[in-house]
């Protein structure tokens, strides 16, 4: 039988939906991907890789990987929350001692940054919920909503920093206990920069744009702490205007960070991916034995996991069973090639037996079709 129809590899169901039934595609471990399927993944080198680092691609394994990423994100939030909480406490004590309005603003800013962990933590918890008939892709997009909240918080921080700097220009104030203010500013910068690096590194590793944005937010707070330090240095040198001027310069730096965070979050909301991932997908599919060509490839983020849709071209005389085996081999190749990929839908198309044969997609030509 020819594989003229759409032969799709369905995405794996969540383990909570069918906990007692093996997935029908589990057989690809021996058939489609590694045995008689004839894909490039059946080569001895790949088999050796499986022996050295065994892995499976069943639904439970994919969900476990996503859950692990979620737990890593939550751990990052808890640790950074503890660091920022300690930093805020130290700065609050110095504010009570010195009466520094600039340090007070930085302390409030750090407290607000710690609180941004709340919506992101809620998003990670929501992302663990199983997909259902209303949210068929799950709840991973809650991270994108949290990213919007974080970007808004960074914008509010920039506005607050601008207001405080302008107010300080109009109404200069003396700062006492400059040594304590300077020490608190260094503590604030060190704490925020450590948290920023930790959040950004974890966010990029697990694919969470919201966590990266939250790390950039922490970095803006570190800039604010530096502004307090430089302002204190200017006051010690008898130039009190240095405090608000440096504050305005730091506000410009915050705006650059805001632009970067907003771009990351907006791209994620628009389903943007790194074009290199598409190139990697095309290359991986092209290496599968039996795939004669590739058509449209689409990738999208669902929280911190990726989903893929791909068209492959196969021989028109293949049986449905063989075409299905190639679809499984293609998904297998994509899982190996694309980090954070948890599911792929592969559509098998075929070349025309002769130029005069009818277009197999003719029935769809009168329907709008995205390109």
């Amino acid at each position: 039988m020819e594989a003229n129809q759409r032969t799709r590899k369905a995405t794996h169901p969540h383990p909570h939906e069918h906990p007692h039934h093996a997935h029908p595609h589990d057989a690809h471990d021996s058939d489609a991907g590694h045995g008689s399927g004839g894909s490039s993944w059946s080569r001895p080198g790949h088999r050796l890789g499986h022996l050295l680092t065994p892995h499976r691609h069943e639904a439970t394994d994919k969900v476990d990987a996503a859950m692990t990423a979620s737990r890593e994100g939550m751990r990052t939030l808890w640790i950074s929350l503890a660091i920022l909480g300690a930093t805020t406490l130290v700065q609050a004590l110095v504010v009570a001692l010195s009466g520094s309005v600039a340090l007070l603003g930085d302390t409030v800013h750090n407290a607000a940054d710690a609180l941004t962990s709340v919506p992101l933590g809620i998003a990670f918890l929501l992302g663990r919920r199983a997909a259902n008939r209303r949210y068929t892709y799950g709840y991973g997009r809650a991270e994108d909503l949290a990213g919007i909240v974080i970007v808004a918080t960074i914008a509010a921080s920039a506005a607050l920093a601008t207001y405080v700097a302008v107010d300080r220009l109009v109404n200069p104030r003396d700062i006492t206990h400059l040594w304590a203010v300077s020490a608190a500013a260094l503590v604030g910068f060190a704490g925020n920069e450590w948290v920023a690096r930790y959040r950004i590194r974890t966010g990029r590793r697990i694919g969470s744009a919201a966590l990266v944005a939250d790390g950039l937010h922490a970095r803006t707070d570190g800039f604010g702490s530096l502004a307090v330090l430089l302002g204190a240095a200017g006051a010690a040198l008898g130039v009190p205007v240095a405090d608000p001027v440096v504050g305005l310069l730091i506000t410009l730096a915050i705006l650059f960070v805001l632009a970067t965070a907003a771009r990351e979050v907006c791209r994620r909301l628009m389903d943007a991916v790194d074009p290199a991932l598409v190139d990697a997908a095309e290359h991986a599919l092209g290496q599968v034995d039996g795939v004669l060509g590739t058509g449209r490839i689409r990738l999208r983020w669902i929280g911190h996991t990726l989903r893929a849709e791909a068209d492959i071209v196969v021989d028109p005389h293949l049986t449905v069973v063989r075409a299905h085996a190639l679809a499984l081999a293609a998904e297998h190749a994509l899982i190996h090639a694309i980090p954070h990929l948890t599911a792929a839908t592969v559509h098998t198309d075929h070349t025309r037996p002769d130029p005069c044969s009818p277009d197999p997609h003719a029935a769809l030509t009168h329907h709008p079709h995205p390109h």
Side-chain angles (χ1 to χ4, degrees), residues 285-286 288-294 312-316 318 326 349-351:
L285 292 174
V288 177
D289 292 340
V291 173
L292 305 180
T294 58
I312 59 174
V313 181
V314 301
D315 187 275
L318 295 181
L326 277 178
D349 201 353
H350 62 76
T351 58

Side-chain angles (χ1 to χ4, degrees), residues 138-223:
Y139 293 80
R141 281 295 178 91
E143 288 186 35
D144 299 329
L145 297 179
I148 295 175
V149 174
I150 292 168
V151 168
T153 304
I154 297 176
S157 299
L160 176 62
T162 302
Y163 172 80
V164 171
V166 172
D167 180 69
R168 183 59 59 85
L169 280 173
V170 177
N171 302 300
R173 298 180 181 86
D174 293 330
I175 303 175
T176 61
H177 298 84
L178 294 178
W179 64 270
V181 173
S182 300
L186 287 175
V187 169
F189 172 73
N192 278 289
E193 183 60 22
W194 188 91
V195 167
R197 290 175 180 268
Y198 187 34
R199 288 177 176 176
I200 292 172
R201 183 171 61 249
T202 301
R204 288 175 177 167
R205 183 167 59 249
I206 69 175
S208 174
L211 190 56
V212 172
D214 209 21
L216 293 172
H217 182 206
R219 182 155 287 165
T220 67
D221 290 347
F223 291 154

Side-chain angles (χ1 to χ4, degrees), residues 189-265:
F189 172 73
N192 278 289
E193 183 60 22
W194 188 91
V195 167
R197 290 175 180 268
Y198 187 34
R199 288 177 176 176
I200 292 172
R201 183 171 61 249
T202 301
R204 288 175 177 167
R205 183 167 59 249
I206 69 175
S208 174
L211 190 56
V212 172
D214 209 21
L216 293 172
H217 182 206
R219 182 155 287 165
T220 67
D221 290 347
F223 291 154
S225 297
L226 284 181
V228 175
L229 177 63
L230 295 177
L237 295 175
V239 188
V241 74
D243 183 23
V245 169
V246 170
L248 289 175
L249 293 177
I250 296 301
T251 298
L252 291 177
I254 293 175
L255 290 177
F256 280 112
V257 173
L258 172 63
T260 301
R263 183 171 60 250
E264 289 283 338
V265 172

Side-chain angles (χ1 to χ4, degrees), residues 3 7-10 24-25 28 32 318-330 348:
T7 304
R8 289 202 171 192
K9 166 67 175 70
H25 297 136
H28 84 279
L318 295 181
T319 64
V320 171
V321 173
R322 178 67 180 119
H324 182 252
L326 277 178
L328 289 176
T348 57

Side-chain angles (χ1 to χ4, degrees), residues 15-359:
H16 297 301
E17 296 175 2
H18 304 288
H20 304 296
H21 297 278
H23 195 278
H25 297 136
D26 291 347
H28 84 279
D29 286 336
S30 60
D31 258 348
H34 304 286
S36 60
S39 77
S40 62
W41 299 103
S42 62
R43 291 194 293 264
H46 183 68
R47 290 192 176 192
L48 178 60
H50 272 273
L51 292 174
L52 296 177
T53 56
H55 61 277
R56 296 182 301 170
H57 305 302
E58 299 176 10
T60 52
D61 298 320
K62 295 176 182 179
V63 173
D64 284 346
M67 291 286 286
T68 298
S70 179
R71 285 193 292 267
E72 188 174 356
M74 288 295 295
R75 182 170 61 250
T76 299
L77 289 178
W78 279 115
I79 293 175
S80 60
L81 179 61
I83 296 296
L84 290 177
T87 299
T88 301
L89 180 60
V90 170
Q91 289 187 318
L93 293 175
V94 176
V95 167
L97 176 67
S98 66
S100 171
V101 176
L103 187 58
L104 174 61
D106 190 45
T107 303
V108 172
H109 198 179
N110 285 332
D113 183 32
L115 291 177
T116 60
S117 300
V118 175
L120 191 51
I122 293 174
F124 279 128
L125 291 176
L126 279 176
R128 296 179 180 181
R129 297 182 63 180
N132 52 48
R133 294 181 68 84
R134 181 177 296 275
Y135 295 95
T136 55
Y137 282 97
Y139 293 80
R141 281 295 178 91
E143 288 186 35
D144 299 329
L145 297 179
I148 295 175
V149 174
I150 292 168
V151 168
T153 304
I154 297 176
S157 299
L160 176 62
T162 302
Y163 172 80
V164 171
V166 172
D167 180 69
R168 183 59 59 85
L169 280 173
V170 177
N171 302 300
R173 298 180 181 86
D174 293 330
I175 303 175
T176 61
H177 298 84
L178 294 178
W179 64 270
V181 173
S182 300
L186 287 175
V187 169
F189 172 73
N192 278 289
E193 183 60 22
W194 188 91
V195 167
R197 290 175 180 268
Y198 187 34
R199 288 177 176 176
I200 292 172
R201 183 171 61 249
T202 301
R204 288 175 177 167
R205 183 167 59 249
I206 69 175
S208 174
L211 190 56
V212 172
D214 209 21
L216 293 172
H217 182 206
R219 182 155 287 165
T220 67
D221 290 347
F223 291 154
S225 297
L226 284 181
V228 175
L229 177 63
L230 295 177
L237 295 175
V239 188
V241 74
D243 183 23
V245 169
V246 170
L248 289 175
L249 293 177
I250 296 301
T251 298
L252 291 177
I254 293 175
L255 290 177
F256 280 112
V257 173
L258 172 63
T260 301
R263 183 171 60 250
E264 289 283 338
V265 172
C266 289
R267 283 179 175 175
R268 185 62 61 88
L269 288 171
M270 292 294 294
D271 286 334
V273 296
D274 185 350
L277 293 178
V278 181
D279 294 337
E282 289 179 343
H283 178 75
L285 292 174
Q287 298 301 306
V288 177
D289 292 340
V291 173
L292 305 180
T294 58
R296 182 176 53 193
I297 296 175
R298 291 188 290 186
L299 300 168
R300 71 186 309 186
W301 286 98
I302 306 294
H304 48 264
T305 61
L306 275 169
R307 299 291 184 99
E309 297 177 14
D311 296 343
I312 59 174
V313 181
V314 301
D315 187 275
H317 302 293
L318 295 181
T319 64
V320 171
V321 173
R322 178 67 180 119
H324 182 252
L326 277 178
L328 289 176
E331 184 194 23
H332 191 188
L334 288 174
I335 288 173
H336 278 273
I338 309 298
H340 310 296
L341 183 67
T342 58
T345 301
V346 178
H347 168 213
T348 57
D349 201 353
H350 62 76
T351 58
R352 294 191 185 185
D354 60 78
C356 298
S357 61
D359 182 0

